[in-house]
Structures are given as C-alpha cells and as structure tokens.
Amino acid sequence: MIVPFEHILILATALFVLGAACAAMRRSVIMILVGVEIMITGAAVAFVGASLRWQTLDGQAAVILVMGLAAAEVAFGLALLVHARRRGGSLEADGYTGLKG
C-alpha cells in the first residue's frame, strides 16, 4: 500500500468530524443532509482503507452497502425538500415538527 494506513484513518476521521460539525451546527435541512453525506463518506474511506490493509473484500462489500445507504439518504432528503416546498415553508429543521409520531 502506497499510502500509510494511519493517513487513511486520519482522513476518514477528519471527514467524519467535519460532517458531524456541519450537521450539528446548521439549521437548514440541506446542510444537515450534506453533513451526514460527508460522515458517510468518511466511514466509506475507513472501510476501504481497512480492506486494503488486511487484504480482504469485506470492507469493499461494506462500502457497497454504504453507497446504498447514501442513495437512500439522498432520496429521503429530496422528499423532505419537496414536502417543504409544497407547504411553502422554509428549509429550517425546526419547521419539521409535524413529522413527530
């Protein structure tokens, strides 16, 4: 492996922390979903790095599942945006109190 495993983990951790900060500090639904997407990308980088480190395909298989999760997250986000746009409301996360069970 050309890139040391520690560097891959540092990159994955940095992506995850940046995504968590973005999701925690923003009020817009779009920015929260972007933060979650960055966190998912950080996890995928860690899976691929671990897969290459230990020469197994388990991490790469997990990334395929993570990609499916990311696609579902995007579909959910778009559904929330369409819902917000039809109701004429804003994209602020506090406006979704009607989704409580």
Side-chain angles (χ1 to χ4, degrees):
M1 174 182 260
I2 297 172
V3 179
F5 183 60
E6 293 81 18
H7 293 177
I8 293 172
L9 289 181
I10 289 170
L11 174 66
T13 303
L15 284 173
F16 192 87
V17 169
L18 286 174
C22 180
M25 287 195 252
R26 299 295 181 146
R27 309 298 294 166
S28 172
V29 172
I30 293 175
M31 294 308 293
I32 291 171
L33 291 175
V34 167
V36 171
E37 193 74 32
I38 293 171
M39 291 170 58
I40 289 172
T41 302
V45 168
F47 278 129
V48 170
S51 174
L52 293 174
R53 170 79 164 94
W54 287 292
Q55 301 292 320
T56 62
L57 295 177
D58 296 341
Q60 294 176 13
V63 167
I64 292 173
L65 293 175
V66 167
M67 290 170 63
L69 176 69
E73 184 240 345
V74 168
F76 178 72
L78 288 176
L80 283 176
L81 292 177
V82 168
H83 175 74
R85 186 56 76 183
R86 284 188 179 169
R87 295 188 74 179
S90 68
L91 297 177
E92 297 294 319
D94 294 335
Y96 289 94
T97 57
L99 296 177
K100 291 181 180 175

